[in-house]
Amino acid sequence: MTDAILARLTALKTTPTPQLKEQWRQLFESEPPAFNRRYLESRLAYRIQELAYGGLKPETVRRLEKLGEELDGGSKAKRQTRADMRPIAGTRLIREYQGVEHCVTVRDDDFEYQGRPYKSLSAIARAITGTQWNGLTFFGIKSGARKQA
């Protein structure tokens, strides 16, 4: 790694956020995302190195995409769900709502409620309440969950 690149990477830690956002505009030719500072620093560091030394080889990108599809079956919804937020297959989620106990079984690719498959916990929460809910919140998986009775 050259001294100039190393200096640029080191400077990211002390660069004010508005200047990081300006670097983003220059390096990515787009508006910076509304993520936290740590995210901006890490993506800028990668981009600086990518421009200086080249990015991933095309065969590496293809391999990573193939591995990703093997993990999520090409499902965009599954890809967007953090793995540590999804309960393990076989888990039974029990929630009392308006005096009635509801039980959901987590399966490998979906959820079972009252003998029917559902693609998401949010769909089950909607079936139970008749209103839009974040399924993770409704079943108390997401921290800070509030409960309605």
Side-chain angles (χ1 to χ4, degrees), residues 13-53:
K13 289 282 183 206
T14 56
T15 302
T17 303
Q19 289 178 358
L20 288 177
K21 290 181 177 185
E22 185 52 41
Q23 282 187 46
W24 183 285
R25 289 181 191 96
Q26 292 170 0
L27 295 175
F28 289 97
E29 297 178 357
S30 68
E31 283 301 306
F35 294 127
N36 65 30
R37 179 185 173 85
R38 185 176 291 158
Y39 178 83
L40 291 175
E41 288 175 13
S42 68
R43 293 295 296 135
L44 286 168
Y46 181 88
R47 184 70 174 149
I48 289 166
Q49 293 174 83
E50 180 182 43
L51 292 172
Y53 306 116

Side-chain angles (χ1 to χ4, degrees), residues 33-107:
F35 294 127
N36 65 30
R37 179 185 173 85
R38 185 176 291 158
Y39 178 83
L40 291 175
E41 288 175 13
S42 68
R43 293 295 296 135
L44 286 168
Y46 181 88
R47 184 70 174 149
I48 289 166
Q49 293 174 83
E50 180 182 43
L51 292 172
Y53 306 116
L56 296 173
K57 295 177 184 176
E59 57 268 16
T60 303
V61 172
R62 283 193 297 277
R63 178 73 176 134
L64 289 171
E65 287 171 350
K66 184 178 180 216
L67 288 170
E69 286 181 11
E70 287 175 13
L71 288 173
D72 63 28
S75 165
K76 186 174 180 178
K78 200 174 203 182
R79 190 174 310 130
Q80 292 174 336
T81 302
R82 287 180 30 186
D84 63 343
M85 293 298 288
R86 182 175 167 78
I88 297 169
T91 302
R92 292 182 63 199
L93 304 172
I94 300 170
R95 166 70 200 272
E96 185 177 318
Y97 181 77
Q98 295 184 343
V100 178
E101 191 174 86
H102 301 274
C103 182
V104 173
T105 302
V106 179
R107 302 192 306 191

